[in-house]
Amino acid sequence: MGWLLALPFLLPIATGLLAMAARRRPRQARAISLAGCIGLFVVVVIIFVRVLDQGTIAAQMGNWPAPFGISLVVDRLSAIMLLLAGLVGLAVAIFAQADVDLRREVLGFQGFYQLLLAGVCGSFVTGDLFNLYVWFEVMLIASFALLILGGERAQLDGGIKYVALNLVSTLFMLMAIGMVYGLTGTLNMAALHVAFAEVDQPAALHMLAVLLIVAFGIKAALFPLYFWLPASYHVPPVAVTAVFAGLLTKVGVYALIRTFTLIFPADFRFAHDLLLIAALLTMLSGVIGAASQFEFRKILAFHIISQIGFLVLGLALFSPLALAGSIFYMVHNIVAKTNLLLISGTARRMAGSFKLAEIGGLYRASPVLAAVFFIAAFSLAGFPPLSGFWAKLMLVSASLEQAAYWVAAVALITGALTLFSMSKIWSEAFWKPHPQDGVRALASLSATERVQRMLPAILLVAISLGLGLFPQPLIHFCEVAAKELLDPAAYVATVLPARDG
Amino acid sequence: MISLILQGATRLLVALILLFSVYMLMRGHNLPGGGFIAGLIASAAFVLYALAWSLREAREALRVSPVKLAAIGALISLASAVPGMLKGFPPFTGLWLFIGGGAGDKGIPISTVLLFDVGIYLAVLGAVLALFFTIEED
């Protein structure tokens, strides 16, 4: 059991080291990296099936009993996040074979890519607050390297902004961790759940909540802490943006959900009220920012922010339905968003630019790409019967349930504005003719490149469609996962050894 | 700048610093020290050598490329998890082998924890020197 739970990060680290060693032979490094991603996907599927079967599973690293050693814990939320990380990791790894140039591969792209996956998976399996910080650092190092790899001027500019603001986040997190340890004497999340229920210092709790919201809020790109994201996400190769969009900000949201369901007591309304305001402003400001952009990738980058608002909204409303909605939204969003970015990369390959004014004619050049974009984009906007519709429906009905009508109103307005942005891309990039008639057909690319670019996109869009047409199994899964989050007793009992007397 | 005093002192100091780093590595199991800090100390020795003599000579003294050293170190650390796996323990469980034990004496303890620390030592040494050499070259 211990090995199974450690593999999601041990495997990418080992793969990354091997790929790094072989980086001067890019063909070999690619093969290693792809094999590692397939292996990772198999491992997360096994873990997912095991969790479906047995509920929460835990392992103690180094055979040190909790709360002294580092615990690895996978409950339903972690399991589905791991599954998504494995899926996105594999899809983007295939796409990157066509998208990332040789120079970046020699500089070690594949190695850093695997390190990033290790950081993401490590964050999802750990049951220890300090270990979470370590995985955040691993992710930060890997993502900074991926951002600036290639050393173009714009990349360095975006990279510096990214790393500076994220260092502030880790600093806040470290301060919070120090205070938590001083307050309770443990950093094991399950033990913290027990300890925090007995802490009788409201001032310390409030301060910790703010510190952690700021730390994870920067990572997740919450209002008003998101300005690093639009400054940096449009500079690296599309494959890098896609994996960032799919996984990085979501780790921040995951950490927020974990902290404010497991560690803090459930009746601590202060944090939820604060998160509710932040979520609503994030939704609105992200979508309005997107409406003002005229570049394919920048529009998508602003939409990442807006959708982070939806994910946090479910946590802020804090009812079983709302949390289930958040998890469903997470699944839908990771699949659809990663896919849209992959499509934007292929669109640029065919039409020559990200600027909407300079491209066009993609519908005529490749109806398949247009169809894939159409489904992914309208799923993002929440059109029935696509996956985004069910996600939004759950969140909106959760807010109506609590008579928070203005929350529902903001969610619907955001949905309408998302539709506006997606239609803008559709009419500019796909429908109108290319201004210089310079669009190349998908069929003119080599067969291998076509497979590498289209296979992940079609795979992801099939998942989006499947979730939209048959949402019931996932909705049920999300409801059980939300129930687990709201009642952590089973989680705590699995991690901590039974106490005598 | 070439300084005869610094160069002369460096010859002695580098050996001492490296020896001290190994001492820190070994005592780290139960006392302050360990692979990370020992790796930093060892890299300080090579940095001093590079400042007193030259970057090229420091590279030659290291013999292997620092990036390779870091990768080897990380792989050694990962490998320290293997004995635990073979015996069916959770990852990174510490296992001991006692050499030359007799009555009342457990002998010299060799553990997978030490192997892990040696890996960290090499990884830190390699990573710090890779950074330092790159920055110095510009």
Side-chain angles (χ1 to χ4, degrees):
Chain A
M1 181 67 80
W3 280 92
L4 184 63
L5 293 193
L7 271 180
F9 56 86
L10 283 185
L11 191 66
I13 289 178
T15 313
L17 283 173
L18 291 176
M20 208 52 146
R23 72 199 156 113
R24 294 194 198 287
R25 296 177 295 277
R27 197 181 285 266
Q28 220 171 320
R30 279 177 184 191
I32 293 170
S33 182
L34 193 59
C37 283
I38 294 171
L40 179 64
F41 187 65
V42 172
V43 167
V44 294
V45 167
I46 294 173
I47 292 179
F48 186 78
V49 171
R50 179 91 45 111
V51 169
L52 273 188
D53 201 32
Q54 304 176 354
T56 308
I57 49 180
Q60 313 298 340
M61 291 302 94
N63 223 0
W64 294 96
F68 303 107
I70 293 172
S71 308
L72 302 185
V73 194
V74 178
D75 61 353
R76 280 188 168 75
L77 175 64
S78 294
I80 189 103
M81 295 306 290
L82 278 175
L83 190 66
L84 290 165
L87 178 72
V88 169
L90 182 59
V92 176
I94 298 172
F95 182 82
Q97 311 244 324
D99 181 63
V100 175
D101 53 299
L102 211 62
R103 196 167 58 92
R104 286 192 170 85
E105 298 231 16
V106 173
L107 286 168
F109 170 81
Q110 301 289 358
F112 288 120
Y113 181 72
Q114 293 291 334
L115 193 64
L116 182 74
L117 289 182
V120 170
C121 291
S123 308
F124 292 149
V125 293
T126 187
D128 184 283
L129 203 54
F130 188 79
N131 196 231
L132 183 66
Y133 163 79
V134 173
W135 291 121
F136 271 51
E137 288 285 285
V138 169
M139 265 188 316
L140 182 59
I141 293 169
S143 56
F144 181 60
L146 287 175
L147 257 183
I148 61 159
L149 211 62
E152 289 163 21
R153 200 183 168 82
Q155 281 190 304
L156 290 174
D157 179 59
I160 299 293
K161 286 173 189 157
Y162 173 81
V163 86
L165 289 163
N166 274 280
L167 279 177
V168 174
S169 153
T170 38
L171 187 69
F172 273 98
M173 187 174 171
L174 205 55
M175 289 197 306
I177 288 174
M179 284 180 61
V180 168
Y181 194 71
L183 208 59
T184 63
T186 180
L187 290 173
N188 183 297
M189 292 185 197
L192 282 176
H193 172 74
V194 180
F196 262 55
E198 290 159 11
V199 169
D200 194 24
Q201 299 179 31
L205 278 191
H206 282 75
M207 184 158 167
L208 271 177
V210 172
L211 276 177
L212 287 171
I213 287 178
V214 171
F216 297 144
I218 293 179
K219 292 278 171 201
L222 263 189
F223 181 87
L225 306 163
Y226 62 66
F227 30 83
W228 58 269
L229 193 148
S232 59
Y233 267 30
H234 62 283
V235 294
V238 185
V240 174
T241 312
V243 75
F244 281 13
L247 297 177
L248 273 196
T249 44
K250 274 62 178 184
V251 180
V253 177
Y254 168 84
L256 279 173
I257 294 180
R258 203 39 102 210
T259 312
F260 291 104
T261 56
L262 179 60
I263 298 178
F264 279 81
D267 54 359
F268 190 65
R269 286 302 310 178
F270 168 74
H272 300 294
D273 294 343
L274 201 60
L275 283 172
L276 183 63
I277 298 167
L280 292 177
L281 290 173
T282 311
M283 285 154 69
L284 277 179
S285 53
V287 85
I288 291 170
S292 70
Q293 295 294 326
F294 293 94
E295 243 185 67
F296 205 150
R297 188 153 56 151
K298 280 191 180 166
I299 293 176
L300 294 177
F302 268 101
H303 274 293
I304 300 172
I305 299 169
S306 149
Q307 276 125 21
I308 292 296
F310 278 98
L311 298 175
V312 175
L313 180 64
L315 172 65
L317 290 172
F318 208 64
S319 68
L321 181 62
L323 268 174
S326 256
I327 301 169
F328 193 102
Y329 205 104
M330 187 94 87
V331 179
H332 140 72
N333 189 233
I334 290 178
V335 173
K337 187 96 241 173
T338 311
N339 202 4
L340 281 173
L341 279 156
L342 296 184
I343 293 164
S344 81
T346 306
R348 182 176 73 160
R349 179 87 170 91
M350 289 163 62
S353 174
F354 279 123
K355 294 207 177 76
L356 289 180
E358 293 173 10
I359 60 175
L362 285 167
Y363 176 74
R364 183 161 291 182
S366 167
V368 182
L369 186 74
V372 171
F373 172 82
F374 189 85
I375 296 171
F378 283 79
S379 168
L380 200 70
F383 244 57
L386 298 163
S387 61
F389 170 72
W390 303 109
K392 276 191 185 138
L393 182 67
M394 285 167 87
L395 284 172
V396 168
S397 43
S399 51
L400 292 179
E401 212 176 62
Q402 298 185 11
Y405 299 112
W406 50 287
V407 173
V410 171
L412 292 175
I413 292 170
T414 309
L417 286 172
T418 310
L419 189 61
F420 164 72
S421 287
M422 290 304 137
S423 332
K424 184 162 78 183
I425 298 180
W426 173 257
S427 64
E428 291 285 318
F430 288 88
W431 203 244
K432 82 161 194 252
H434 195 283
Q436 279 113 36
D437 212 20
V439 63
R440 62 195 307 191
L442 192 61
S444 72
L445 304 177
S446 78
T448 345
E449 188 177 346
R450 247 178 316 176
V451 171
Q452 285 164 346
R453 283 181 181 276
M454 293 311 290
L455 180 71
I458 291 172
L459 181 79
L460 291 176
V461 91
I463 294 172
S464 271
L465 258 183
L467 288 180
L469 296 177
F470 308 100
Q472 204 49 45
L474 184 64
I475 291 179
H476 176 70
F477 175 87
C478 292
E479 281 168 353
V480 180
K483 212 177 286 170
E484 272 183 0
L485 289 174
L486 288 171
D487 180 22
Y491 181 104
V492 174
T494 316
V495 179
L496 295 180
R499 278 182 292 180
D500 301 322
Chain B
M1 186 191 69
I2 305 289
S3 154
L4 197 61
I5 300 173
L6 183 61
Q7 287 183 341
T10 300
R11 282 178 186 282
L12 290 172
L13 280 175
V14 164
L16 271 180
I17 295 172
L18 285 175
L19 192 64
F20 182 63
S21 79
V22 175
Y23 168 70
M24 286 304 272
L25 171 67
M26 301 301 241
R27 90 197 276 266
H29 189 64
N30 290 322
L31 293 162
F36 190 88
I37 195 74
L40 284 179
I41 294 172
S43 56
F46 284 94
V47 170
L48 182 64
Y49 196 80
L51 292 178
W53 297 85
S54 74
L55 207 58
R56 198 172 53 82
E57 278 170 279
R59 273 187 192 278
E60 277 169 17
L62 191 64
R63 282 162 196 265
V64 276
S65 96
V67 177
K68 205 173 276 179
L69 197 65
I72 292 170
L75 280 175
I76 291 177
S77 286
L78 275 183
S80 76
V82 173
M85 174 174 69
L86 297 179
K87 293 208 159 190
F89 287 115
F92 300 108
T93 303
L95 294 173
W96 273 262
L97 182 70
F98 295 98
I99 295 173
D105 179 22
K106 284 201 287 188
I108 303 167
I110 304 288
S111 66
T112 54
V113 185
L114 179 66
L115 193 65
F116 184 82
D117 256 358
V118 171
I120 298 295
Y121 176 91
L122 294 177
V124 171
L125 177 62
V128 170
L129 287 182
L131 284 177
F132 175 75
F133 288 165
T134 315
I135 294 170
E136 272 297 287
E137 263 166 9
D138 284 344

